[in-house]
Amino acid sequence: RISFAFLKATEGITRQDRQFERNWKKTKEAGILRGAYHFYHPSRNASDQAQNFIKQVKLLPGDLPPVLDIEVSNRKSKKDIVAGALEWCRIIEEHYGVKPIIYTSPGFYNKYLSDDFDDYHLWIAHYNKDIPDMHHRKWHFWQHTDKAKINGVKGGVDMNVFNGSLSKLQRMGLEKK
């Protein structure tokens, strides 16, 4: 049983996933807790990337917080990566009223993000049988494969687990205003 799904909404400054609106609607109709993510490029303007996401994603009460997918450096320094990612997160939090989730690999997190994102929920991509060990911090989501098979979907699919109960996951959803 699938309890939740994160869907790619945007990437960079101008790209939107062509299937996002359809997938977003179908996920809701199927009763699956849903969230949307933005693939971040440190070499692009953070504010423009945040606006790209905001234009595409209309969150409803119960939806999971927005996700910043940050896994490439684009040859930028740690200082520049952190400054841009924090700017994206600030704009997104102001707009949606909830702190975003950070998606990354253990190596990228440790090299670039560990000093500045400890108070964000963490979603770790770790394609290994072993549970990810993040040493000094807890992970909330673990993407353990990109080769799962799901009826109705061609090819491999990312598969994730939540580090908690279903009721705890549901409480992460946006509150009613």
Side-chain angles (χ1 to χ4, degrees):
R1 167 138 165 71
I2 297 172
S3 302
F4 67 95
F6 287 103
L7 310 171
K8 182 177 183 182
T10 54
E11 179 175 338
I13 294 170
T14 58
R15 292 185 219 153
Q16 295 88 30
D17 187 286
R18 290 184 194 144
Q19 296 298 318
F20 176 75
E21 284 187 40
R22 177 190 171 279
N23 294 340
W24 191 246
K25 180 182 175 195
K26 295 288 186 183
T27 303
K28 182 79 167 174
E29 288 173 0
I32 297 171
L33 191 56
R34 64 189 184 172
Y37 73 90
H38 173 80
F39 189 92
Y40 183 81
H41 289 280
S43 59
R44 304 283 189 263
N45 180 281
S47 177
D48 291 344
Q49 291 189 70
Q51 292 309 315
N52 183 23
F53 185 85
I54 289 167
K55 280 188 250 172
Q56 181 74 3
V57 179
K58 309 302 180 225
L59 296 178
L60 297 173
D63 289 339
L64 293 169
V67 176
L68 177 67
D69 176 344
I70 182 165
E71 51 188 297
V72 296
S73 68
N74 295 135
R75 298 188 197 131
K76 292 294 185 180
S77 68
K78 175 181 171 139
K79 180 181 175 185
D80 288 342
I81 290 168
V82 167
L86 286 172
E87 176 71 0
W88 189 93
C89 288
R90 182 191 62 75
I91 293 167
I92 294 300
E93 186 173 354
E94 278 180 12
H95 181 79
Y96 294 106
V98 64
K99 192 176 280 267
I101 296 167
I102 303 297
Y103 169 94
T104 194
S105 69
F108 195 91
Y109 183 85
N110 290 332
K111 185 173 183 178
Y112 296 103
L113 308 176
S114 64
D115 298 330
D116 300 282
F117 292 87
D118 282 348
D119 58 339
Y120 288 80
H121 285 97
L122 185 60
W123 176 14
I124 288 294
H126 179 68
Y127 301 161
N128 196 308
K129 291 181 182 176
D130 298 328
I131 293 174
D133 180 7
M134 294 303 294
H135 306 293
H136 70 286
R137 80 160 292 193
K138 175 184 171 182
W139 55 267
H140 297 84
F141 297 90
W142 170 26
Q143 186 174 94
H144 55 87
T145 186
D146 60 352
K147 295 176 175 44
K149 300 292 182 203
I150 296 179
N151 290 338
V153 178
K154 291 181 184 176
V157 175
D158 298 340
M159 190 63 70
N160 302 277
V161 295
F162 177 67
N163 193 7
S165 66
L166 180 58
S167 63
K168 185 175 179 183
L169 177 64
Q170 290 167 332
R171 286 193 303 272
M172 281 185 73
L174 272 65
E175 294 183 15
K176 296 177 182 167
K177 293 185 178 190

